[in-house]
Amino acid sequence: MPELPEVETVMRGLRERLEGRTIVRATAHRPDLRWPLPEGLQKRLTGALVTGFRRRGKYILMRLNGGDSVLLHLGMSGRMVLTPLRPNQPTPHEHLVLETDDGWRLGFVDPRRFGSVDLVPTRQEDAHKLLAELGPEPLDPAFSPARLSASLTGKRTTIKAALLDQKVVAGLGNIYVCEALFRARLSPQRSAHTIPGTRAARLVPAIKGTLLEAIAAGGSSLRDYVQPHGELGYFQHAWKVYSHEGEPCERCPGRPACPGIRRITQSARSTFYCPRTQR
Ligand SMILES: [Zn+2]
């Protein structure tokens, strides 16, 4: 499932290719994804000039000159595929297609259909029901140790669960929570109410550093953002603990110092951590 760094990379790719372009045709191939597509979507997209992009949490906002923003969420399996316009070949699971005035074609492909597309007035983006309750952006200076401490005070869940809560901080998912906790040397099983104070002062920079490194791995130009078949944003990135069960972590000089990265299940999802250095 795409998390903040992947969504940021997709957004940057869309910005490079679509900003300043006019959508000459919009075609929806079904009436719904996770939710029904908004009324009149094709009509409101066709002829619109794309004026800019923004990311909020795991959402992408594409702004149009008519005052609408298109709110996009990739869900579990959604992909944005950019290709030169060619004689129309139907692609499986491609639900929405945008064609631009300079001969490009953007397809939203989503086999499992957990993704979503909506329209929201640009001036009221943050009031949209999917964005209104989101917590701070982790890379924003407002996401500080004091802010995190305040939202974790008295919280009885584990720190792993707390960081997955999009109201505490927006955009993190299973992978980058594991990576950030490894970097901060904090156990994923620790209770969230023990984090405020010095541990939050360690955790906040660990979250920011983990995300910035992953975003950097996504590249810095359109050539990096687009995969060979036109898919945006799914880059190779070396995780330090995620999916490395049983291997020594980079902090421990091999066995027996490191008992090996451990995998446990928390809220039905895998957590990976080093039991020796994460306390
Ligand atoms: Zn270790």
Side-chain angles (χ1 to χ4, degrees):
M1 182 166 179
E3 301 183 26
L4 188 153
E6 290 82 18
V7 176
E8 175 72 21
T9 305
V10 170
M11 189 274 292
R12 290 180 184 187
L14 293 176
R15 176 186 280 157
E16 287 284 327
R17 179 53 72 199
L18 298 182
E19 195 170 272
R21 304 319 320 178
T22 297
I23 298 168
V24 292
R25 193 196 326 240
T27 314
H29 289 136
R30 51 176 303 124
D32 59 354
L33 292 172
R34 183 170 191 169
W35 295 295
L37 295 178
E39 198 82 15
L41 177 69
Q42 299 178 68
K43 213 169 171 182
R44 281 157 80 179
L45 289 177
T46 301
L49 173 75
V50 179
T51 58
F53 285 86
R54 174 190 170 208
R55 181 193 53 71
R56 176 79 173 101
K58 299 175 197 171
Y59 294 89
I60 293 170
L61 290 141
M62 177 172 78
R63 293 166 167 174
L64 307 175
N65 63 333
D68 284 325
S69 293
V70 184
L71 178 65
L72 299 162
H73 189 255
L74 298 169
M76 308 279 284
S77 58
R79 303 192 309 275
M80 295 288 177
V81 182
L82 264 177
T83 51
L85 202 53
R86 49 177 156 62
N88 218 353
Q89 290 172 334
T91 306
H93 308 296
E94 188 177 62
H95 308 308
L96 181 67
V97 180
L98 307 183
E99 296 169 28
T100 66
D101 59 339
D102 63 342
W104 283 80
R105 176 184 193 284
L106 173 71
F108 185 8
V109 178
D110 185 7
R112 297 178 65 181
R113 299 205 306 270
F114 280 104
S116 61
V117 178
D118 204 0
L119 287 169
V120 56
T122 300
R123 293 172 58 190
Q124 294 160 34
E125 283 174 352
D126 291 323
H128 189 280
K129 64 180 190 298
L130 294 173
L131 306 187
E133 306 226 312
L134 289 180
E137 279 294 314
L139 296 174
D140 194 298
F143 181 62
S144 62
R147 175 80 185 256
L148 180 64
S149 293
S151 51
L152 297 182
T153 298
K155 243 190 158 61
R156 296 282 153 179
T157 57
T158 63
I159 184 59
K160 168 92 190 290
L163 293 178
L164 287 174
D165 180 352
Q166 302 296 298
K167 292 176 191 162
V168 170
V169 55
L172 296 181
N174 205 37
I175 294 173
Y176 293 104
V177 168
C178 291
E179 295 293 304
L181 288 171
F182 173 72
R183 187 184 278 237
R185 298 175 180 249
L186 292 169
S187 167
Q189 292 170 297
R190 175 176 279 286
S191 182
H193 79 272
T194 67
I195 298 294
T198 56
R199 294 189 184 103
R202 224 155 76 209
L203 182 51
V204 166
I207 292 170
K208 292 177 193 273
T210 299
L211 294 173
L212 287 170
E213 256 178 33
I215 290 169
S220 55
S221 69
L222 188 61
R223 215 169 45 183
D224 303 326
Y225 306 144
V226 184
Q227 305 302 311
H229 297 291
E231 193 171 313
L232 283 169
Y234 287 76
F235 45 86
Q236 293 295 314
H237 181 50
W239 298 310
K240 295 185 193 307
V241 286
Y242 190 82
S243 81
H244 288 292
E245 183 180 7
E247 298 168 28
C249 81
E250 67 170 25
R251 273 202 296 259
C252 304
R255 294 170 193 282
C258 187
I261 292 165
R262 186 172 292 165
R263 184 177 72 85
I264 56 171
T265 302
Q266 290 179 295
S267 319
R269 291 198 264 186
S270 288
T271 298
F272 297 86
Y273 72 109
C274 167
R276 192 179 81 90
T277 62
Q278 288 179 252
R279 297 300 175 92

